[in-house]
Amino acid sequence: MEQRRPLGPPEFILDVFADPSCVKDIVRGILHTIFFHRYFPSLRPSTIEVLDVTLPFVADPQLETLIDTRVGQLVRQLSSDNSSHELRGQIAVQFFEKRRRKGGGLGWFTSTGKTEEEVCWEIWCLDVTIATPRTEAERAKVAKAMGSTLLKTATKIVSIVNKDKEHIPPITTSETNPFPYQIELNPRLEGWAKSIKIF
């Protein structure tokens, strides 16, 4: 199990392999699998079939819309780059807890009006690789690799969520979803660009 950033929140890296015709369904299925295990409102269990693998599905319209939007953006971004035989992109899911903002320093001079802050407690990063097979033999090889990679990834998610629980914060609110979340595209690229203020 790969885990990065020992000082910050745990970050779990998942490898995703797909061809252009299946990438949307595969990434969507993996995101729903993550949310099934980390989305705490009560929900009715549902499943979806992706490449003959049964995956959990979170039937929440707001979450479905966000997942579909981000996956669509990733697919458009990757399909616009036709420079190589193999394309790569990343999509990350971050989960946050709301904490009381600690007062400090100068009292009301530094107050922003917010009494809570969101602190990230877990990150799931999907490293997406899209292969474009050109021959029938390559297509068969890619199809086999997609199915086995999807099954390994789903199994890895279940293993991680069953093993790594100590970092999950306690639920201290009666809100429907106690832990806000974000789904970002290419978070490392955006993070660097933002931190050195290129864009």
Side-chain angles (χ1 to χ4, degrees):
M1 165 182 58
E2 288 183 59
Q3 188 174 339
R4 294 184 193 158
R5 281 201 257 184
L7 299 176
E11 181 176 356
F12 303 106
I13 289 74
L14 303 171
D15 293 318
V16 180
F17 182 76
D19 69 13
S21 66
C22 294
V23 67
K24 188 174 185 177
D25 291 336
I26 291 173
V27 173
R28 187 171 175 259
I30 292 169
L31 290 174
H32 274 281
T33 302
I34 293 167
F35 275 99
F36 182 80
H37 295 284
R38 291 297 191 240
Y39 192 70
F40 291 96
S42 61
L43 53 97
R44 187 175 188 183
S46 300
T47 60
I48 54 172
E49 291 285 325
V50 180
L51 299 176
D52 295 328
V53 177
T54 302
L55 299 172
F57 181 82
V58 178
D60 177 90
Q62 186 177 2
L63 179 60
E64 286 179 61
T65 300
L66 179 61
I67 288 174
D68 290 345
T69 300
R70 292 296 186 264
V71 170
Q73 290 169 341
L74 178 69
V75 169
R76 280 190 300 280
Q77 172 197 321
L78 293 173
S79 63
S80 68
D81 179 15
N82 294 324
S83 61
S84 69
H85 183 60
E86 202 173 77
L87 303 171
R88 296 181 185 272
Q90 291 180 334
I91 193 164
V93 179
Q94 298 175 316
F95 293 96
F96 299 88
E97 70 171 308
K98 292 181 182 179
R99 289 188 189 162
R100 276 197 165 287
R101 186 178 297 269
K102 294 178 181 166
L106 304 173
W108 59 272
F109 287 111
T110 59
S111 176
T112 60
K114 290 185 177 180
T115 58
E116 289 183 329
E117 63 182 337
E118 290 183 354
V119 178
C120 184
W121 57 269
E122 184 175 79
I123 301 169
W124 294 83
C125 187
L126 282 66
D127 288 333
V128 181
T129 302
I130 299 180
T132 309
R134 297 183 183 180
T135 66
E136 200 55 46
E138 285 179 358
R139 277 193 251 312
K141 199 179 206 181
V142 167
K144 185 176 180 181
M146 284 189 306
S148 68
T149 303
L150 178 60
L151 186 57
K152 278 186 210 171
T153 301
T155 304
K156 184 176 181 178
I157 292 168
V158 172
S159 173
I160 289 169
V161 299
N162 285 332
K163 182 180 167 200
D164 296 316
K165 299 176 186 179
E166 64 280 347
H167 66 281
I168 300 174
I171 296 175
T172 59
T173 180
S174 60
E175 292 180 34
T176 314
N177 183 23
F179 301 123
Y181 52 83
Q182 292 179 359
I183 302 175
E184 296 181 1
L185 292 181
N186 301 313
R188 288 183 188 88
L189 297 175
E190 289 178 6
W192 276 101
K194 287 177 187 173
S195 66
I196 59 176
K197 297 184 170 96
I198 293 177
F199 302 104

